[in-house]
Amino acid sequence: MYKDLIKNSEESMKKSIAYLKDELATIRAGKANPKLVDKIQVSYYGTMTPINQVANISVPDPRTIVIQPWDGSLVKDIEKAILTSDLGINPSNDGKLIRLSIPPLTEERRKDLLKVVKKETENSKIAIRNIRRDAIEEFKKLEKASELTKDDLKKAEEEAQKITDKYIKLIDDIYKEKEKEILEV
């Protein structure tokens, strides 16, 4: 009975990890990555639309992102959206496409990015712990309703803690990987 709750909790934890990875992919680490522009939106026929839905985004070399809009009239709008975003990169526009040259990170910028990464990973850890807390509350309700024995309650809590520890370690590993990527010169 509690196995379904454990399985649901683990699925929620997997979703938290996936969300964290998506968030961290948008943080610039000195290398060109098409995900850097995923959150930037441009007005397309009156609707705010992500750039990756109105343009082809490519990475021809490790320090350059090329954005080629499918509709040539969007070049200026995309350029403006990039300039007003928090990306901190000046686009170059040749009338048909936009190039983003990714400059090497300064030491100060690296420290700022690490703070953002740390905050995101901490938020994910909190989410994982909240999932565990909710599962344990459900186990206790089942035990109160005499649907779980005390022994089963203890086993369920231990299992919930085990998967929580597994995902917290995974978050720590993701942080270390991103930290290494940001500190790479």
Side-chain angles (χ1 to χ4, degrees), residues 167-182:
Y167 284 96
I168 295 289
K169 183 185 180 325
L170 186 57
I171 290 171
D172 287 338
D173 293 345
I174 291 168
Y175 173 78
K176 287 175 188 156
E177 190 177 306
K178 191 67 177 182
E179 178 184 43
K180 183 179 157 201
E181 187 182 318
I182 289 172

Side-chain angles (χ1 to χ4, degrees), residues 44-91:
Y44 185 59
Y45 292 106
T47 305
M48 291 309 282
T49 310
I51 289 177
N52 61 5
Q53 292 181 14
V54 295
N56 187 30
I57 301 169
S58 60
V59 181
D61 64 68
R63 293 243 179 248
T64 309
I65 297 174
V66 174
I67 302 168
Q68 187 169 12
W70 297 318
D71 179 349
S73 65
L74 281 175
V75 174
K76 287 273 186 220
D77 293 335
I78 291 173
E79 182 180 30
K80 185 177 174 189
I82 292 168
L83 284 169
T84 59
S85 75
D86 62 354
L87 202 54
I89 299 173
N90 284 328

Side-chain angles (χ1 to χ4, degrees), residues 103-120:
L105 296 172
T106 64
E107 194 59 35
E108 185 179 327
R109 184 70 177 137
R110 289 175 200 273
K111 288 177 182 171
D112 290 344
L113 289 174
L114 280 176
K115 286 178 188 171
V116 172
V117 171
K118 187 74 174 163
K119 182 176 173 247
E120 288 295 332

Side-chain angles (χ1 to χ4, degrees), residues 1-13:
M1 176 179 292
Y2 70 85
K3 296 282 185 192
D4 289 340
L5 278 171
I6 293 285
K7 191 187 289 183
N8 291 344
S9 296
E10 190 161 12
E11 285 301 313
S12 295
M13 290 180 186

